[in-house]
């Protein structure tokens, strides 16, 4: 992989074979299309040789067989919106990028057992709309990323959402997978049509579903997904911590609430800079346009927008009695350290109306801001938080990627990769204790400052024992110096993470080389499996650091 895209071409023979299977409309080889699908927000670059859009499992099998015969790499994506981690970039030039967005059928919804069977192209927006418009009393868990993201793509990346069903891979059950040799397997069941394929996660024998996630051992063409029964009652909550000295108490309280099951949401805690990136862009502020914000500027912006040093959000779900009880337990545990506000479905229309009025009338606005003790812009995010926590996705929070963008951010068609935004995700996961979190975050913050960047960190509770400390390096991709510094910062963060005996919960192309540095035996094991399942080395070679071992001679098929 290089920093500059080079020209790569697919042979006419391969292009013709692909067109014969998929139709010419579903095979792209024009320079404009190749540019478009070789664009990402990270400062690394490769260039694909073709983009294909299969419309069925049979077509996926055919493409894999063509690629295998010609020994050309295929990089699958469901929707290809994996911004900040690599989007649709392959490691090397010359790959076929496969996008599964045409396979977007919802094949089954079982309301009684609360699961569905979907194809890879099903988006959060589509799935949520389908369930609601057909009257199913089931909720899908979404992320605060793109509403056009793939439900399955995120689960295959082992992404995390918002509700008690936010462990997306944890809620997949029963996969259909095309193997690199073109064989089709139904993982999790011993035969097709097995009644428990989508209800009993572990199947029988070795548990194999995991090897098709964060890997390159097959292409998933169908999956069962468990859904959340619509609860009788639901509240979202926002919790503002204005005095940072209280943070250790807050972490202790949240850990206790999560371990005892009072809170089973995927709690989000964001620092002030994360809020800032959602509310504004650097070009809109009268502050120096280079380097990190000074403490004084940060303080002034906090006051301007009514942002707390840390803000938290989550949901509580259950019967009316359960939600009432959870509210009082949360109040008791959290109120001493910050301001806790609950939003119910009943309150939501009222909040939305107040926001609308306040935008139209400066006096209302002033009064609302005084009463809410924050800015109208911050208040405006509450309805989006409330909706996301019940599976209704939005592009609202994707705005953060445009913080360093030199132009006003788009209102529609939000696509940071195509727009040329600079964003690298770094996603270490930590034990959820104060001893682990704060000293580590201090070292990271120092590295951000030293390299000239503001410190962006969101803590996402993966489970009561582990917290993801998701950091974003947001940079101006049109500024070569800033782009170079973003890479140096990323390298320093990786080194610092390893020194602290930590690893990422999910990794982008920018760190696959590093993933198994401290575990060569694991790398060899992955390599052995890769060699066995993908002898011609065609599915995303090198993805998640998994490549054939040099000494394992490939078999010739
Ligand atoms: P999203 O658009 O929701 O962000 P992507 O479609 O970009 O998700 O998928 C994220 C990553 O997950 C891809 O880069 C790829 O590595 C992997 N992936 C996604 N879908 C599949 C699939 N159907 N089979 C195998 N791997 C997949």
């Amino acid at each position: 992989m290089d920093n500059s895209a080079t020209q790569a071409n697919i042979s006419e023979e391969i292009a013709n074979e692909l067109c014969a299977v998929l139709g010419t409309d579903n095979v792209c080889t024009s320079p404009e299309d190749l540019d478009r699908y070789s664009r990402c927000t990270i400062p690394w670059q490769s260039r694909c040789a073709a983009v294909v859009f299969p419309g069925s499992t049979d077509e996926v099998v055919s493409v894999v067989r063509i690629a295998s015969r010609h020994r050309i790499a295929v990089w699958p994506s469901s929707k290809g919106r994996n911004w900040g981690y690599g989007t649709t970039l392959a490691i090397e030039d010359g790959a076929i990028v496969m996008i599964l967005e045409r396979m977007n059928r919802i094949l089954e919804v079982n309301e009684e057992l609360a699961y569905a069977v979907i194809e890879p192209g099903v988006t959060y927006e589509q799935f949520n709309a389908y369930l609601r418009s057909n009257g199913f009393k089931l909720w899908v868990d979404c992320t605060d990323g793109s509403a056009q993201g793939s439900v399955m793509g995120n689960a295959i990346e082992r992404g995390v959402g918002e509700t008690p069903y936010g462990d997306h891979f944890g809620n997949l059950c029963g996969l259909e997978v095309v193997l690199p040799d073109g064989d089709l397997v139904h993982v999790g069941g011993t035969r097709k049509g097995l009644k428990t394929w989508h209800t009993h996660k572990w199947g029988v024998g070795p548990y194999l579903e995991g090897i098709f996630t964060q890997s390159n051992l097959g292409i998933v063409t169908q999956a069962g997904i468990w859904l959340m029964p619509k609860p009788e009652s639901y509240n979202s909550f926002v919790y503002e911590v204005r005095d940072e000295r209280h943070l250790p108490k807050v972490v202790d309280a949240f850990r206790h609430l999560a371990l005892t099951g009072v809170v089973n949401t995927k709690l989000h805690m964001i620092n002030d800079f994360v809020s800032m990136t959602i509310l504004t862009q650097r070009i809109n502020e009268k502050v120096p346009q280079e380097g990190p914000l000074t403490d004084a500027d940060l303080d002034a912006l906090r006051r301007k927008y009514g942002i707390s040093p840390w803000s938290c959000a989550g949901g509580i779900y259950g019967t009316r009695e359960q939600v009432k009880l959870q509210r009082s337990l949360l109040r008791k545990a959290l109120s001493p350290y910050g301001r806790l506000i609950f939003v119910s479905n009943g309150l939501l229309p009222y909040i939305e109306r107040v926001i609308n009025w306040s935008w139209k009338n400066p006096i209302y606005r002033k009064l609302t801001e005084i009463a809410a003790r924050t800015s109208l812009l911050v208040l405006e995010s509450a309805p989006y938080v409330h909706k996301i926590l019940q599976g209704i996705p939005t592009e609202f929070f994707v705005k953060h990627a445009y913080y360093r963008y030199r132009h006003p951010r788009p209102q529609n068609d939000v696509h940071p990769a195509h727009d040329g935004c600079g964003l690298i995700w770094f996603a270490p996961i930590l034990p959820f204790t104060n001893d682990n979190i704060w000293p580590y975050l201090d070292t990271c913050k120092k590295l951000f400052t030293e390299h000239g960047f503001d410190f962006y960190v969101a803590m996402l509770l993966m489970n009561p024992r582990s917290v993801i400390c998701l950091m974003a390096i947001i940079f101006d991709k049109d500024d070569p110096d800033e782009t170079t510094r973003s890479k140096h910062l990323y390298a320093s963060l990786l080194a610092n993470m390893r020194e602290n005996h930590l690893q990422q919960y999910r990794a982008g192309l920018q760190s696959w080389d590093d993933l198994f540095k401290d575990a060569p035996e694991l790398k060899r094991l992955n390599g052995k499996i890769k060699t066995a399942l993908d002898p011609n080395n065609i599915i995303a070679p090198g993805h998640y650091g998994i490549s054939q071992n040099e000494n394992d001679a490939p078999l010739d098929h």
Side-chain angles (χ1 to χ4, degrees):
M1 188 180 50
D2 195 358
N3 289 332
S4 57
T6 55
Q7 194 67 42
N9 288 315
I10 196 169
S11 75
E12 211 177 310
E13 183 194 357
I14 302 175
N16 288 341
E17 283 185 45
L18 291 170
C19 288
V21 170
L22 304 177
T24 46
D25 285 352
N26 298 310
V27 179
C28 299
T29 52
S30 73
E32 300 75 40
D33 285 327
L34 301 186
D35 274 351
R36 192 174 155 80
Y37 286 95
S38 301
R39 233 180 271 165
C40 184
T41 62
I42 61 172
W44 286 271
Q45 189 63 62
S46 66
R47 191 177 158 90
C48 59
V51 189
V52 295
F53 299 86
S56 67
T57 299
D58 284 347
E59 289 185 2
V60 173
V61 170
S62 300
V63 173
V64 165
R65 293 218 159 110
I66 293 169
S68 188
R69 239 190 349 269
H70 293 279
R71 305 285 201 275
I72 182 165
V74 177
W75 283 68
S77 276
S78 290
K79 281 290 287 182
R81 297 196 158 219
N82 204 15
W83 304 317
Y85 291 108
T87 315
T88 48
L89 281 192
I91 291 183
E92 302 283 350
D93 293 340
I96 297 175
V97 165
M98 176 189 278
I99 313 252
L100 297 161
E101 65 187 17
R102 287 177 62 223
M103 296 176 64
N104 64 353
R105 288 178 305 164
I106 296 164
L107 299 165
E108 181 188 350
V109 177
N110 186 321
E111 191 162 37
E112 208 177 3
L113 292 166
Y115 74 81
V117 184
I118 58 168
E119 290 188 326
V122 172
T123 66
Y124 290 112
E125 184 176 79
Q126 173 196 356
F127 201 8
N128 172 65
Y130 180 87
L131 292 174
R132 284 175 200 255
S133 62
N134 287 288
F136 290 111
K137 293 194 167 40
L138 297 170
W139 286 358
V140 58
D141 185 285
C142 65
T143 70
D144 54 11
S146 174
Q148 300 309 320
S150 155
V151 177
M152 202 196 284
N154 189 273
I156 290 171
E157 274 286 292
R158 304 208 290 261
V160 62
E162 313 282 331
T163 71
Y165 281 63
D167 172 1
H168 289 165
F169 169 63
N171 287 294
L172 286 190
C173 185
L175 305 181
E176 179 186 86
V177 183
V178 175
L179 296 179
D181 61 5
D183 272 3
L184 188 66
V185 286
H186 295 92
V187 194
T190 49
R191 50 180 285 209
K192 196 164 187 215
L194 185 82
K195 287 184 179 172
T196 53
W197 192 28
H198 301 305
T199 62
H200 174 59
K201 196 168 162 67
W202 312 115
V204 68
Y207 175 69
L208 294 176
E209 289 189 8
I211 69 169
F212 298 106
T213 64
Q214 296 194 351
S215 73
N216 51 11
L217 303 171
I219 300 174
V220 185
T221 47
Q222 216 183 90
I225 175 167
W226 291 344
L227 300 170
M228 178 166 162
K230 181 182 172 192
E232 179 187 293
S233 182
Y234 151 65
N235 275 194
S236 61
F237 64 86
V238 177
Y239 180 55
E240 302 283 332
V241 183
R242 300 222 160 156
D243 183 343
E244 289 178 87
R245 286 171 303 181
H246 288 150
L247 286 169
K249 294 275 187 213
V250 172
V251 164
D252 285 341
F254 273 131
R255 189 182 53 254
H256 183 71
L257 290 166
L259 279 170
T260 52
V262 177
V263 161
N264 53 10
T265 187
K266 300 291 172 210
L267 181 81
H268 284 41
M269 293 175 70
I270 59 174
N271 77 349
D272 44 11
F273 183 64
V274 178
S275 305
M276 202 95 71
T277 61
I278 297 164
L279 301 175
T280 186
Q281 288 176 266
R282 187 76 170 247
I283 47 161
N284 294 339
E285 303 300 337
K286 288 194 187 71
V287 292
Q289 294 297 306
E290 300 298 322
L293 294 165
T294 61
D295 286 349
D297 284 337
L298 182 62
D299 213 43
L301 287 173
R302 267 184 192 167
R303 265 183 281 116
K304 173 175 173 188
Y305 289 107
I307 300 172
S308 300
W310 284 83
S311 313
C312 316
I316 46 180
Y317 311 84
T319 62
R320 280 194 189 85
E321 290 76 19
Q322 281 174 322
V323 168
K324 203 168 147 206
L325 181 63
Q326 287 178 75
R327 276 174 72 133
S328 77
L329 291 170
L330 279 172
R331 247 202 209 104
K332 196 163 150 217
L334 300 176
S335 295
Y337 315 116
R339 196 159 69 114
L340 183 63
I341 297 165
F342 292 101
V343 178
S344 63
N345 284 342
L347 191 61
L348 188 69
Y350 170 74
I351 296 178
E352 287 176 325
R353 233 172 305 154
V354 169
I355 292 170
N356 273 341
W357 288 336
S358 303
W359 276 127
K360 288 180 197 144
N361 183 321
I363 297 172
Y364 276 156
R365 176 174 179 173
K366 198 84 218 148
L367 291 174
T368 303
E369 291 186 333
I370 291 169
R373 284 191 273 157
T374 188
S375 69
L376 199 52
L377 278 170
V378 170
L379 201 61
E380 199 180 38
S381 57
Y384 294 104
V385 170
H386 188 76
K387 286 178 183 165
I388 277 193
L389 279 154
Q390 52 182 307
I392 304 171
T394 168
E395 306 288 340
F396 184 82
F397 298 101
V398 183
K399 288 176 180 172
H400 64 240
Y402 291 82
Y403 176 75
R404 291 293 279 151
Y405 194 51
R406 292 188 187 189
H407 318 280
R409 44 193 176 196
Q411 297 304 313
N412 306 307
D413 255 346
V414 178
H415 200 303
H418 292 170
D419 289 338
C421 298
L423 167 72
I424 314 175
W425 286 122
F426 172 62
I429 185 158
L430 277 71
F432 190 38
T433 65
N434 287 300
D435 287 355
N436 282 289
I437 296 169
W438 305 114
Y440 174 65
L441 291 192
D442 280 348
T443 62
C444 295
K445 185 174 181 179
K446 230 179 255 155
L447 291 173
F448 269 75
T449 310
E450 274 166 27
H451 288 84
F453 291 96
D454 291 300
F455 184 47
Y456 176 116
V457 62
M459 293 204 266
L460 321 180
L461 200 61
M462 185 72 198
N463 63 51
R465 296 167 181 84
S466 299
V467 67
I468 297 160
C469 289
L470 185 64
M471 297 174 212
I473 306 173
I474 301 175
F475 62 99
D476 178 357
K477 234 183 167 195
D478 292 330
D479 178 337
D481 173 59
E482 197 164 310
T483 303
T484 305
R485 280 188 285 113
S486 74
K487 292 175 84 167
H488 291 161
L489 170 57
Y490 190 79
S492 308
L493 288 168
L494 278 185
N496 178 51
M497 178 185 71
R498 287 176 61 206
E499 278 163 26
N500 279 281
H501 299 266
L502 296 169
Q503 65 183 17
Q504 298 186 78
Y505 93 103
R506 167 183 185 179
L509 174 147
Q510 58 271 24
S511 60
W512 293 336
D513 273 355
D514 260 57
L515 286 189
F516 298 105
K517 266 194 177 151
D518 299 315
E521 72 294 346
L522 211 50
K523 187 169 173 62
R524 270 198 308 280
L525 171 60
N526 287 337
K528 283 180 197 168
I529 299 173
K530 178 72 178 164
T531 310
L533 290 190
D534 190 359
N536 292 337
N537 205 22
I538 55 145
I539 307 278
H543 189 243
Y544 270 87
I546 306 169
S547 12
Q548 293 188 340
N549 294 328
E550 273 165 24
N551 298 331
D552 295 345
L555 308 170
D556 214 40
H557 268 215

